[in-house]
Amino acid sequence: MQTRMRTLIAANWKMHKNVAETRAFFDAFLPLVAGLPTQVEIAVAPPFTALSAAAQCCSDEPRIALAAQNMHWSAQGAYTGEISLSMLADFGVGYVIVGHSERREYFDETDHTVNLKVQAALGHGVTPIIAVGETLAERDAGITLDRVVSQTQHALQDIDAEQASRVVFAYEPIWAIGSGRSCDPLEADAVMGAIRDAVDGLQAIPILYGGSVKAENIAAYMGQPNIGGGLVGGASLDPHAFAALIRNAAL
Ligand code: PGA
């Protein structure tokens, strides 16, 4: 059995919250942080436009790490609309979500670009949270493990075991995202075991479950040996709901 290194709960705000809404979130959330279990790491991924405000709000709260929702792998260049790692460094971003299914589906993210982003993030000392997961059709066809193992191996192509040990994975069954239909914790744990075994170096990394996680169901996931936290969309938008979820992750 693997050693659990740490527990991470990461908020993925997606395309929600402008600067004023971001400040309002932290005004309510920061007073709650002192009451949250210290063994749970907290990361928040606001939209790019709110990273500056989020960084200001959290400047006296070392327990909250900032995350980006996406990035470009190049240092700079003629890539209209893109954001580089050195730009993210301005805000002290420690994590970046890579390969979220919404980016794969709507913005043509591929296994190849995921791999380029993972290599670039690791090169800058930013921890990639690599999202993998199967569609409902793939699940119904019985190819969940093939799909997820393939995404995992492609994401870490040309990355050695030492570097691989510094990533975080998020297993997010696509049919469970934003649907209110969460994956059975035992099934999620089995898929995460396959992710761990897919590449050398993943034995002790946190693997987050994502897909309709909320305060009411997080404890059932955390009870599984391979599950090291959650990547939380809808339930991270409300400060009280998110705090309750973090509290329950340590039960
Ligand atoms: P959800 O989103 O919690 O709203 O299902 C999770 C995610 O997409 O990361």
Side-chain angles (χ1 to χ4, degrees), residues 12 14 97 100-102 172 176-180 210-213 231-236:
N12 175 14
K14 310 189 180 186
I97 301 169
H100 190 281
S101 62
E102 288 151 15
E172 301 202 305
I177 294 175
S179 64
S212 298
V213 188
L231 182 56
V232 189
S236 73

Side-chain angles (χ1 to χ4, degrees), residues 89-109:
D90 285 341
F91 310 108
V93 164
Y95 293 94
V96 59
I97 301 169
V98 174
H100 190 281
S101 62
E102 288 151 15
R103 295 218 59 85
R104 292 181 193 255
E105 182 177 355
Y106 306 131
F107 303 102
D108 294 330
E109 186 86 275

